[in-house]
Structures are given as C-alpha cells and as structure tokens.
Amino acid sequence: SYLKSGRQCQKNVFLKKFINVEKKYEFFEKENLPIKNICILDILKTANLKKMSDVRKDNFNYLNEHIIGNSKFRPILLNYSKIETPAFFLIRCRSRKVRDELRAYLISKRIYAPIHWQNKTALGGRIISIPVDHRYNLSAMDYICKTINQFN
C-alpha cells in the first residue's frame, strides 16, 4: 500500500517486507534455484527482443511528443540511436520537492515512477523516471501523458 499511497508511515512496513523477501533469495545457488533446468539463454531465445525494443521506442517517442513541460518540470530530451532501446523517459523537476510531489501524484493515479538518483547530485535529486516498458501499449502511454500534463 506504500507504493500506491506514498505515505511515509507505510514506508517502514514496505521496506521491512522488501528486506524479508530479499533475504529469502539471498543464498540462491545454481543447485538451489526454484526453477531447475531452465537457462536464461533458452528464455531469451523465445523472446521477441526486436518487438520489445520497438514497443519501448514507440512508447518513449509517444511520451516525448505528448508530455508538455511547465514551470514545475521539463522532459529531458534524449536522442537514441537506432540500436539503443530506452528503459525510461526522464523528467527534470524544478526541485526535489516538486519531484517528490509529482511522484506522489503519479502513485495516487496508479503510475509507479521510480527515482534512480536519490541524493547523488543536485540534478539527480530532481529527476524522475517514467517507465516505457514493452508491456505497456499506447493507450497506457496516453493515460500517463494526460496524468502528467494535469500536474500543476
């Protein structure tokens, strides 16, 4: 519920559960894996990586064309080469406070936008990452754009 509400009082409960789950997987070794005889290469052979990459690029471009910056934030305009695939669409906020407010707003609208650079630099503390995951379609990207553009 912390991820949905962003309430700080629930953060400790979330972190405690997260740490407990991490501990369960801490000591996995090859012979102790829960799924045996499955090689990551076998999984990758069946994945359509080109299609996944194309969807991510389409999602990124959609956000790039439809998110409108305002006095509180601006999209970070990046140009990817044909062989690169974006993982996130980055937004630079006016301040860390605005970034945290935007993130809480997005969580309230069921959009989880991770923060990858907590306090490393002044700029890093103002950046929020919007997922462009290949499992999202353009309808989801449209919802994300409209939601972000409504943030004042």
Side-chain angles (χ1 to χ4, degrees):
S1 63
Y2 164 69
L3 294 177
K4 290 180 183 176
S5 70
R7 292 187 186 129
Q8 289 299 313
C9 61
Q10 295 173 336
K11 184 176 184 178
N12 290 336
V13 173
F14 171 79
L15 291 175
K16 193 176 201 178
K17 288 180 181 179
F18 185 82
I19 290 167
N20 285 336
V21 169
E22 268 190 338
K23 285 179 182 178
K24 289 180 182 179
Y25 296 101
E26 201 169 61
F27 298 105
F28 274 157
E29 294 179 13
K30 188 174 182 179
E31 64 275 3
N32 294 327
L33 290 175
I35 302 173
K36 296 185 186 274
N37 301 322
I38 294 181
C39 175
I40 190 68
L41 293 176
D42 292 335
I43 295 170
L44 289 175
K45 285 178 191 175
T46 63
N48 187 338
L49 300 180
K50 168 107 173 70
K51 181 179 179 184
M52 291 171 155
S53 176
D54 289 345
V55 171
R56 284 176 176 262
K57 289 175 185 177
D58 289 345
N59 288 345
F60 179 90
N61 290 331
Y62 190 89
L63 294 180
N64 201 29
E65 292 170 10
H66 293 90
I67 291 180
I68 302 164
N70 62 33
S71 63
K72 290 188 173 189
F73 68 85
R74 297 249 181 264
I76 296 177
L77 304 177
L78 300 172
N79 294 314
Y80 286 94
S81 74
K82 289 183 179 182
I83 61 169
E84 295 175 308
T85 301
F88 295 96
F89 182 84
L90 303 177
I91 293 177
R92 181 181 62 222
C93 297
R94 185 179 67 216
S95 67
R96 181 174 281 117
K97 181 179 184 257
V98 170
R99 181 206 60 193
D100 293 344
E101 290 171 353
L102 174 58
R103 183 169 190 242
Y105 170 74
L106 293 173
I107 289 170
S108 77
K109 302 295 183 181
R110 302 188 60 155
I111 300 169
Y112 178 67
I115 295 171
H116 290 101
W117 302 278
Q118 286 289 345
N119 296 316
K120 301 286 183 193
T121 65
L123 177 62
R126 297 170 28 207
I127 295 175
I128 190 165
S129 305
I130 308 300
V132 294
D133 194 285
H134 57 274
R135 294 171 288 182
Y136 295 124
N137 59 27
L138 291 182
S139 175
M141 293 296 106
D142 187 58
Y143 174 75
I144 290 170
C145 286
K146 287 178 180 174
T147 302
I148 291 172
N149 289 335
Q150 291 172 358
F151 176 74
N152 288 319

